[in-house]
Amino acid sequence: GAVVSQHPSWVICKSGTSVKIECRSLDFQATTMFWYRQFPKQSLMLMATSNEGSKATYEQGVEKDKFLINHASLTLSTLTVTSAHPEDSSFYICSASPGVGNDQPQHFGDGTRLSIL
Amino acid sequence: QKEVEQNSGPLSVPEGAIASLNCTYSDRGSQSFFWYRQYSGKSPELIMFIYSNGDKEDGRFTAQLNKASQYVSLLIRDSQPSDSATYLCAGEGAQKLVFGQGTRLTINP
């Protein structure tokens, strides 16, 4: 149980392109999902908290107009990197939890490796 | 600022030995702590979580939490080459996870 699916797994595109990444909870509903970014040899950094039916909450330093988040249903959140540039190249990973509480860990999707040429 | 600290390693352990991974945290408000394993190029996978003081065992893995010392550890018994990975410690507060920088573990056959 608690499977999180992420698509696509790999994107290579030209500078200036907008890229959409999908995160789905396959066997549970998630009112909250999380988007992380990981640069090589670094740890995961939380970018934003995606809230179903309301605006996402962005961490300090993350541009909300650059990284658009939509959480239209209880099983789907999307992250759109708008007008991507080489410095946006990174490993983007989403996570979700089946519930709230100390015994409800977050489960991660397989990640999306984004390369901007 | 809420921080989780880990020794980045690398930590080398012979096959069959016990690997000990350590983590400290600054936010006393953190309720739960998680250990994730991350293979190179892959996303993290959950190994264990703990929220009560003491030990929690699951197979070859034992997580230990000491809230007074703000210290979390993960022991891996009978280490196998397949345990070679980066281990991420994370603390949770208000549903958000704060990750340490990860410890790279290598199990030598």
Side-chain angles (χ1 to χ4, degrees), chain A residues 48-61:
Chain A
T49 303
S50 173
N51 305 299
E52 188 269 335
S54 65
K55 291 182 179 180
T57 306
Y58 291 81
E59 295 300 302
Q60 190 172 8

Side-chain angles (χ1 to χ4, degrees), chain A residues 44 93 106-110, chain B residues 34-39 42-48 82 84-88 99:
Chain A
L44 277 72
I93 316 172
Q106 290 185 27
H107 296 268
F108 286 85
D110 288 338
Chain B
F34 304 83
W35 284 99
Y36 288 88
R37 177 175 63 196
Q38 187 174 27
Y39 292 113
K42 303 294 185 182
S43 72
E45 58 177 313
L46 181 68
I47 298 295
M48 290 191 70
S82 59
S84 298
T86 296
Y87 288 79
L88 300 168
F99 283 88

Side-chain angles (χ1 to χ4, degrees), chain A residues 46-100:
Chain A
L46 179 65
M47 299 175 65
T49 303
S50 173
N51 305 299
E52 188 269 335
S54 65
K55 291 182 179 180
T57 306
Y58 291 81
E59 295 300 302
Q60 190 172 8
V62 178
E63 301 174 59
K64 62 180 181 180
D65 296 329
K66 173 77 171 176
F67 300 99
L68 301 179
I69 291 173
N70 184 279
H71 195 152
S73 78
L74 288 170
T75 59
L76 173 64
S77 174
T78 61
L79 168 68
T80 300
V81 183
T82 61
S83 186
H85 291 285
E87 59 267 27
D88 298 321
S89 298
S90 188
F91 192 40
Y92 292 86
I93 316 172
C94 71
S95 73
S97 173
V100 179

Side-chain angles (χ1 to χ4, degrees), chain A residues 25-64:
Chain A
S25 55
L26 297 186
D27 52 358
F28 65 96
Q29 294 182 330
T31 55
T32 304
M33 292 183 175
F34 302 88
W35 288 97
Y36 295 84
R37 181 167 53 181
Q38 186 178 35
F39 291 107
K41 299 191 184 302
Q42 295 186 23
S43 192
L44 277 72
M45 293 299 296
L46 179 65
M47 299 175 65
T49 303
S50 173
N51 305 299
E52 188 269 335
S54 65
K55 291 182 179 180
T57 306
Y58 291 81
E59 295 300 302
Q60 190 172 8
V62 178
E63 301 174 59
K64 62 180 181 180

Side-chain angles (χ1 to χ4, degrees), chain B residues 33-95:
Chain B
F33 300 89
F34 304 83
W35 284 99
Y36 288 88
R37 177 175 63 196
Q38 187 174 27
Y39 292 113
S40 181
K42 303 294 185 182
S43 72
E45 58 177 313
L46 181 68
I47 298 295
M48 290 191 70
F49 64 93
I50 186 168
Y51 52 85
S52 298
N53 268 330
D55 296 358
K56 179 181 178 183
E57 187 174 320
D58 183 0
R60 296 188 295 114
F61 300 94
T62 299
Q64 299 173 315
L65 173 60
N66 184 322
K67 291 187 178 181
S69 300
Q70 295 178 249
Y71 178 86
V72 191
S73 67
L74 178 70
L75 300 177
I76 306 174
R77 288 181 298 281
D78 188 25
S79 298
Q80 302 297 310
S82 59
D83 295 326
S84 298
T86 296
Y87 288 79
L88 300 168
C89 171
E92 183 176 38
Q95 267 197 296

